[in-house]
Amino acid sequence: QLQLVESGGGLVQPGGSLRLSCTGSGFSLENYNIGWFRQAPGKEREGVSCITHSDGGRTNYADSVKGRFTISRDNAKDTVYLQMNSLKPEDTAVYYCAAGGWGLREEYAYWGQGTQVTVSS
């Protein structure tokens, strides 16, 4: 089936950094807009960031991560990244990447299974 695979999650101390990766299973991400979402226990899933598939694509960020997170893509590796710096405990969540939509709303056709990010001392 067509789905996305996230990797790079783990345990990190507050102020630390992680880089999440998103790849396609059975298809290329080259022609897809990609979004990153996250869901903390007991909370709704929220949009984090997104990037278009076009060259020099547009990006967007949730206010809660603006200035700390950076979304990017490497077409040669067919991978989309989410670089997360200055991590806070509030960033703890399962992070998902999604394809086939645009924006920070859940209007995407394909989703990954998620990767856990835990920010704790």
Side-chain angles (χ1 to χ4, degrees), residues 5 9 11 15 19 28 41 49-50 53-54 57 67 71 76-77 80 85 87 91 93-94 99 105 108 114 117 120:
V5 180
L11 175 65
R19 187 180 71 168
S28 172
S49 184
C50 54
H53 68 269
S54 59
I71 190 171
K77 296 182 178 180
V80 174
N85 299 326
L87 283 163
D91 296 318
V94 176
R105 297 170 55 191
Y108 290 81
V117 172
S120 176

Side-chain angles (χ1 to χ4, degrees), residues 68-87:
R68 299 188 298 120
F69 291 10
T70 302
I71 190 171
S72 63
R73 63 195 309 158
D74 185 336
N75 289 334
K77 296 182 178 180
D78 200 17
T79 302
V80 174
Y81 302 101
L82 183 67
Q83 179 67 47
M84 306 185 296
N85 299 326
S86 301
L87 283 163

Side-chain angles (χ1 to χ4, degrees), residues 3-7 21-25 36 97 111-114:
Q3 60 181 344
L4 284 72
V5 180
E6 306 93 340
S7 63
S21 299
C22 175
T23 59
S25 178
W36 282 99
C97 62
W111 293 80
Q113 79 288 346

Side-chain angles (χ1 to χ4, degrees), residues 9-61:
L11 175 65
V12 64
Q13 295 185 356
S17 299
L18 285 174
R19 187 180 71 168
L20 305 183
S21 299
C22 175
T23 59
S25 178
F27 70 104
S28 172
L29 301 185
E30 181 178 2
N31 298 319
Y32 289 91
N33 302 324
I34 302 295
W36 282 99
F37 296 78
R38 67 185 182 185
Q39 186 169 28
K43 296 185 177 180
E44 298 179 347
R45 186 159 60 187
E46 62 175 340
V48 175
S49 184
C50 54
I51 187 169
T52 65
H53 68 269
S54 59
D55 292 343
R58 296 172 293 155
T59 61
N60 196 18
Y61 299 91

